[in-house]
Amino acid sequence: MKKPLSLLFIVIIISSFLTSCGQSLSRYSVTYTDVFDTVTNITAYAKSQTEFDKAATAAHNELLRLHKLYDIYNEYDGIINLATLNRLCGASEQKVDKDIEYLLKTGLSYAEKTDGKLNIAAGALTGLWHDCIKNGGGLPSDEELYEAKKHISYKSVRLENGALFFEDPDIKLDVGAIAKGYAADRAASVLVSNGINDFLINAGGNVVPHGKKPDGEWKIGIQDPDKPGGQYRFKMAVSDRSVVTSGSYERFFTYGGKTYSHIIDTDTLYPADRYVSVTVLCVDSADGDALSTALFCMSVQDGKALLKEKGADALWIYADGGYEKTDGFKIDE
Amino acid sequence: MPTEAMRKPTGSRSMNRTAVSDLILVSAVVIIALVLLVVFSINRADGSVFEITVNGKVYGTYDLNKDTEIDVYGLCVVCVKDGEVFMKSSTCKGKDCVHSKPISKSGQTIICLPNGVVIRVPGESEVDAAI
């Protein structure tokens, strides 16, 4: 009688030990380099590597799908993406995918709100600078810039009942300023629907936190513009709001000893240089992405008014090392 | 009630035996648990290895404390020296990866975006995301 009891005892102890091992969550991480021309990292707590891989792969597939949909440089078989629409919508009206419609509507509403500071119809202008960055050649000439300026009015973009048409045939859409934020939000939904609740997505400066770490809140480091790579100017804990940074030190190009950011001010027609970086805290990462780009080209005062409207907060870092922030932007130290 | 029946006292001799054997059993389980805990925590200790992935697929895991050079599909050369790893050369245009500082701590990465190469020291660093 005693032996079976002891055995039972052993079995119960060991099985409870194994069960607790199986249910405790471990940390997993993966990095993707093939979406939105940036580095995307997913860190999550999951029951097993298999569970994490399944969820992360699903999220990656969603990112790839949106990457192709919002790509303005390449067309793909079987889908009508922005590159296709840029080619066709100057001549005839085209039906658009729901995810394109949503993103364009968001972009156009921000264009209205910011008086074109955030302009998704500025592809003719951003394309000129993009070629400069890509080819490492000289800057665009004034003639080229003024010619481009004639064809960047977001008011020429007509989007009604899921159909898109450009009233100016030379309009080119460029959603680079808002696509990553929206895609990061979507990837987050995919992780949740795959049973992952504690994770952090960082899609090239668009950070979407969800849930918590076993030992507390997610920690974000805002890089020191003078010392990129592992050294942080500020650190902050985040839980329920996305963090989006637009920074000139992350994507830039150098010409004639001067560094230019990748964000083009549609008023000066040149890369914006008011700040080194602007970081926005916002519930929605798509909004955060739009706001950080718009704020990058605005005065702090104008930026604050826009933030208030959206219930968002921001941190501006100047080239001389100084900074400004709204009261709701909490940083450590 | 069945519980009453189970609680019915047995002889004092057999109870002592049960107590002793249970004590041994509990000690054994505690020792096994401790051993497993140590094994797990050793497995989780970070900073001694790093991993190279290419387009999301693992190329290899290497020792940080063994000086070596790794040619990754002719795309780039990863160099390990004095407990640190860095990108020695790369076929990419921007060479951001080559200009990245050597890494050795948990959670640190060096990334070559054009070639899809990621060098990562596994584990958790002081921040979960850098922006």
Side-chain angles (χ1 to χ4, degrees):
Chain A
M1 192 61 193
K2 271 174 242 151
K3 267 191 180 170
L5 265 180
S6 307
L7 271 176
L8 188 70
F9 186 52
I10 295 177
V11 169
I12 289 171
I13 297 275
I14 291 180
S15 57
S16 68
F17 179 83
L18 289 176
T19 320
S20 74
C21 269
Q23 278 180 350
S24 73
L25 301 177
S26 298
R27 184 185 173 101
Y28 300 96
S29 197
V30 65
T31 302
Y32 301 111
T33 50
D34 55 358
V35 283
F36 296 102
D37 301 321
T38 188
V39 179
T40 299
N41 190 68
I42 299 176
T43 298
Y45 287 85
K47 290 192 203 89
S48 65
Q49 180 81 51
T50 316
E51 187 192 47
F52 173 75
D53 286 350
K54 184 176 163 275
T57 303
H60 183 216
N61 286 337
E62 177 68 352
L63 290 169
L64 280 170
R65 184 182 72 85
L66 294 171
H67 166 85
K68 286 182 180 172
L69 212 50
Y70 300 145
D71 193 335
I72 58 169
Y73 303 108
N74 309 289
E75 297 191 33
Y76 303 90
D77 285 342
I79 60 167
I80 294 180
N81 71 355
L82 283 182
T84 316
L85 294 168
N86 272 342
R87 185 165 55 80
L88 299 175
C89 287
S92 63
E93 192 178 83
Q94 300 291 324
K95 279 271 170 204
V96 300
D97 182 283
K98 283 220 161 1
D99 283 310
I100 289 186
E101 185 185 9
Y102 178 85
L103 196 71
L104 294 185
K105 275 189 176 164
T106 306
L108 290 171
S109 79
Y110 270 98
E112 291 267 349
K113 266 190 205 90
T114 62
D115 198 21
K117 283 288 181 192
L118 182 101
N119 186 352
I120 57 162
L125 176 66
T126 56
L128 280 178
W129 286 101
H130 177 266
D131 292 345
C132 285
I133 297 173
K134 205 179 166 194
N135 304 329
L139 308 181
S141 68
D142 285 350
E143 291 77 25
E144 286 175 303
L145 291 172
Y146 284 119
E147 183 55 34
K149 195 189 180 177
K150 291 178 193 160
H151 307 290
I152 59 168
S153 172
Y154 66 90
K155 288 173 181 158
S156 303
V157 178
R158 207 181 69 209
L159 179 62
E160 284 161 2
N161 305 320
L164 182 68
F165 179 69
F166 303 152
E167 280 156 7
D168 172 353
D170 291 321
I171 285 279
K172 299 279 180 243
L173 298 176
D174 179 352
V175 293
I178 51 174
K180 272 186 293 166
Y182 177 63
D185 280 338
R186 291 297 304 265
S189 317
V190 172
L191 289 178
V192 171
S193 65
N194 275 271
I196 306 288
N197 286 300
D198 302 306
F199 61 82
L200 187 85
I201 299 175
N202 181 2
N206 292 251
V207 177
V208 180
H210 197 274
K212 278 190 171 186
K213 295 201 288 180
D215 54 348
E217 287 178 305
W218 295 104
K219 282 264 180 188
I220 311 284
I222 298 174
Q223 290 181 57
D224 190 329
D226 294 328
K227 303 168 198 160
Q231 294 193 59
Y232 307 108
R233 176 69 195 278
F234 299 106
K235 277 182 244 169
M236 58 193 287
V238 289
S239 53
D240 52 350
R241 288 203 283 182
S242 289
V243 192
V244 185
T245 284
S246 284
S248 60
Y249 54 95
E250 227 184 33
R251 270 202 213 169
F252 59 88
F253 73 106
T254 313
Y255 181 76
K258 189 172 165 18
T259 300
Y260 295 90
S261 81
H262 67 285
I263 298 170
I264 312 301
D265 188 325
T266 50
D267 288 335
T268 64
L269 310 180
Y270 262 68
D273 59 1
R274 285 169 188 257
Y275 317 103
V276 175
S277 77
V278 178
T279 303
V280 169
L281 271 176
C282 189
V283 175
D284 203 274
S285 187
D287 281 322
D289 208 359
L291 286 170
S292 68
T293 308
L295 263 57
F296 203 81
C297 304
M298 285 181 173
S299 70
V300 169
Q301 201 185 355
D302 289 348
K304 280 183 177 171
L306 185 61
L307 288 166
K308 217 169 191 176
E309 203 179 309
K310 283 281 168 187
D313 284 287
L315 167 81
W316 295 260
I317 300 180
Y318 294 105
D320 66 4
Y323 73 94
E324 270 189 69
K325 67 180 192 67
T326 55
D327 295 338
F329 199 106
K330 306 279 184 235
I331 44 179
D332 296 356
E333 291 140 298
Chain B
M1 278 169 70
T3 44
E4 285 299 317
M6 278 170 76
R7 278 185 197 161
K8 207 168 111 186
T10 48
S12 66
R13 223 180 117 190
S14 67
M15 210 168 142
N16 277 346
R17 259 198 212 163
T18 312
V20 170
S21 58
D22 279 358
L23 193 69
I24 293 170
L25 197 66
V26 168
S27 321
V29 167
V30 167
I31 288 167
I32 291 169
L34 282 175
V35 168
L36 283 174
L37 194 72
V38 170
V39 170
F40 270 107
S41 54
I42 284 175
N43 270 347
R44 282 185 189 168
D46 303 309
S48 58
V49 294
F50 68 94
E51 186 184 73
I52 301 174
T53 56
V54 183
N55 293 325
K57 291 201 177 72
V58 177
Y59 182 82
T61 303
Y62 305 88
D63 195 338
L64 257 176
N65 297 309
K66 216 164 129 188
D67 290 5
T68 183
E69 279 188 14
I70 305 146
D71 183 299
V72 184
Y73 297 131
L75 294 170
C76 56
V77 176
V78 176
C79 183
V80 188
K81 200 164 184 280
D82 303 328
E84 293 186 318
V85 56
F86 60 93
M87 193 72 92
K88 193 181 176 189
S89 64
S90 168
T91 55
C92 67
K93 203 170 176 184
K95 305 270 187 268
D96 288 349
C97 53
V98 178
H99 297 140
S100 297
K101 284 184 183 149
I103 59 168
S104 59
K105 293 191 185 111
S106 299
Q108 287 185 320
T109 53
I110 291 175
I111 293 161
C112 178
L113 193 63
N115 286 329
V117 177
V118 178
I119 307 168
R120 176 200 302 279
V121 183
E124 197 172 341
S125 62
E126 57 172 333
V127 298
D128 300 297
I131 52 175

